[in-house]
Amino acid sequence: MDSLYDFLGGILGMHGEALKGLVGGALSPRDLVILGVWMLAVTAFVLLVWNNRHRILFNCVLYFKSLTEGGMRRNILGLLVKKQYQIDVYHVAKETRTLLCKTRIRRVGATSIEMRMLQNVAMNKQYVGKMVTCFHRPVLFLYWVYNSFDTYPVEFEPHQDPAKARLTLKMPLRIEAGSRRVHRRERIRNQDLIKVRAWVRCDEVQGGNFRFMKAHFQIGIEDKEKGKTPGRVDNISVGGLRLSVHADSVTKQVGDGDQICTELYLFNWQAREYDVYLMNGEVRSLNLDAKGYLHMGIQFTAIGRLGAGNRQLSWEGFEFLDGCRDIARAMEHMHQ
């Protein structure tokens, strides 16, 4: 037992007898001073760790993230420079996310990040000093996973040529891994605001004229015999929608990852009519509950355009993080 006291006392800079006296409740003034210094040092260390907890977490996440990225440099920012991943800068106010610019990292400094601007969408000097959220696009086979970090611009000098604009961001304190749920979702409380006609794996149709086929399932569409078709849309965003439909009303089996073409009717309060959008998408989540309802999450991949002359359908893709601007405008018009 005495050897244990000697060992622990050596670590603390005290004699074994002094440590034994501490346990027994008897200490000399010198031992009290040593103990007080150690307590102050431990308190200072704990406060230092607590005040820098986000930075420590940030670096830990970067380290383990670098292992999954093929053993690149420990700092994910260095990885972004090396691989030239695109970083999208958003300003978030309440529930609204506004794309400011598309960038790449040019240089990582001690306390800041110098960005090379690829496209200036809405960036100006009024956002200097305001919180922004940065998404970086990962490798293609992990496209539904993203990393984000919050920071703020410390300097911005606009230029007609985006490549010559000067944008500097504060070094972020933390980085967070997320999933494909990027966009704000509008919960549909009034089901009269949205109707859906959907075709499953419609690319199997020769010529792609799925619009002239009977839909594989419908939600909210008027049926002369049965009234409104069953089902509901739970929420919608610029990147997709989530809906529920009874399995018995789906005439073609749906699988996870299947292509879904939807004809969306979104009510426009200004025009007092439905705006129609043809959306191509992919089933990203699918589950069947005990009552026989299929809960389906669909991610939009393209919007359909009809030619003015021949009414031929063509698909126009859009960036995943940006979402579909047409759906964004339609969501604004859904409110009175």
Side-chain angles (χ1 to χ4, degrees):
M1 194 66 179
D2 291 338
S3 60
L4 177 62
Y5 283 125
D6 292 336
F7 174 73
L8 295 177
I11 296 176
L12 298 175
M14 302 169 61
H15 294 294
E17 292 296 329
L19 184 60
K20 192 173 182 180
L22 171 63
V23 177
L27 283 177
S28 65
R30 177 177 176 276
D31 294 331
L32 284 174
V33 171
I34 294 176
L35 182 61
V37 170
W38 267 101
M39 292 182 64
L40 287 175
V42 171
T43 303
F45 176 76
V46 171
L47 291 176
L48 180 65
V49 171
W50 176 256
N51 290 333
N52 293 274
R53 63 191 184 280
H54 295 310
R55 192 181 301 274
I56 295 171
L57 177 63
F58 174 74
N59 284 286
C60 290
V61 172
L62 297 187
Y63 175 73
F64 290 105
K65 180 66 177 177
S66 67
L67 298 180
T68 63
E69 294 278 356
M72 296 292 180
R73 291 176 58 184
R74 191 173 73 87
N75 195 321
I76 197 70
L77 299 176
L79 174 63
L80 296 179
V81 175
K82 183 179 180 66
K83 303 295 288 186
Q84 285 295 285
Y85 287 147
Q86 179 176 313
I87 297 176
D88 295 339
V89 181
Y90 288 81
H91 177 253
V92 180
K94 295 183 179 180
E95 295 185 349
T96 303
R97 179 179 290 141
T98 304
L99 176 64
L100 299 181
C101 56
K102 299 180 179 182
T103 66
R104 286 195 178 101
I105 296 180
R106 176 177 288 154
R107 187 179 65 85
V108 178
T111 60
S112 61
I113 312 171
E114 186 178 332
M115 313 299 291
R116 177 162 63 90
M117 191 172 293
L118 304 177
Q119 179 184 355
N120 188 355
V121 179
M123 185 67 194
N124 54 58
K125 290 188 176 181
Q126 75 175 19
Y127 293 106
V128 174
K130 294 184 178 180
M131 185 68 69
V132 296
T133 299
C134 299
F135 291 95
H136 85 71
R137 301 172 185 274
V139 289
L140 291 177
F141 61 85
L142 291 178
Y143 199 66
W144 60 90
V145 181
Y146 68 93
N147 286 98
S148 68
F149 54 86
D150 294 333
T151 182
Y152 59 87
V154 294
E155 184 179 0
F156 176 67
E157 295 179 5
H159 196 277
Q160 292 182 348
D161 183 1
K164 296 182 179 179
R166 181 182 178 86
L167 175 62
T168 305
L169 302 179
K170 180 71 174 176
M171 184 71 75
L173 291 180
R174 60 179 177 176
I175 190 169
E176 295 179 349
S179 65
R180 58 184 176 269
R181 189 172 295 181
V182 181
H183 308 289
R184 179 182 65 86
R185 299 189 175 192
E186 183 75 26
R187 184 180 178 184
I188 306 299
R189 293 180 172 85
N190 183 0
Q191 290 296 307
D192 291 332
L193 297 179
I194 184 169
K195 299 186 290 185
V196 178
R197 300 177 71 221
W199 295 262
V200 183
R201 297 190 303 279
C202 57
D203 55 338
E204 299 173 357
V205 180
Q206 187 175 4
N209 293 322
F210 66 91
R211 291 173 294 134
F212 304 106
M213 293 176 51
K214 185 176 181 180
H216 294 128
F217 66 86
Q218 302 181 112
I219 296 176
I221 303 294
E222 292 290 345
D223 190 300
K224 293 181 180 179
E225 298 179 356
K226 301 178 181 179
K228 286 187 179 180
T229 52
R232 63 172 288 115
V233 177
D234 298 320
N235 55 62
I236 187 172
S237 73
V238 296
L241 78 161
R242 183 172 179 81
L243 50 86
S244 303
V245 61
H246 201 280
D248 292 342
S249 63
V250 181
T251 60
K252 191 171 186 178
Q253 186 175 359
V254 186
D256 197 9
D258 278 349
Q259 182 195 56
I260 298 284
C261 288
T262 56
E263 191 174 52
L264 297 180
Y265 298 81
L266 303 179
F267 190 73
N268 187 330
W269 278 104
Q270 296 179 357
R272 298 285 177 169
E273 61 182 13
Y274 286 94
D275 295 329
V276 185
Y277 300 91
L278 288 169
M279 305 301 298
N280 196 6
E282 181 181 345
V283 178
R284 302 308 302 272
S285 63
L286 184 68
N287 59 78
L288 179 68
D289 66 16
K291 296 182 179 179
Y293 278 89
L294 279 173
H295 301 275
M296 194 181 314
I298 302 173
Q299 177 186 319
F300 297 144
T301 57
I303 183 170
R305 306 290 189 188
L306 295 176
N310 55 12
R311 304 291 291 175
Q312 188 69 28
L313 176 63
S314 61
W315 295 107
E316 178 183 310
F318 49 86
E319 297 284 359
F320 168 61
L321 288 178
D322 297 346
C324 181
R325 291 188 176 91
D326 295 57
I327 297 297
R329 287 191 292 267
M331 289 172 61
E332 294 176 358
H333 294 157
M334 287 174 66
H335 299 282
Q336 287 181 299

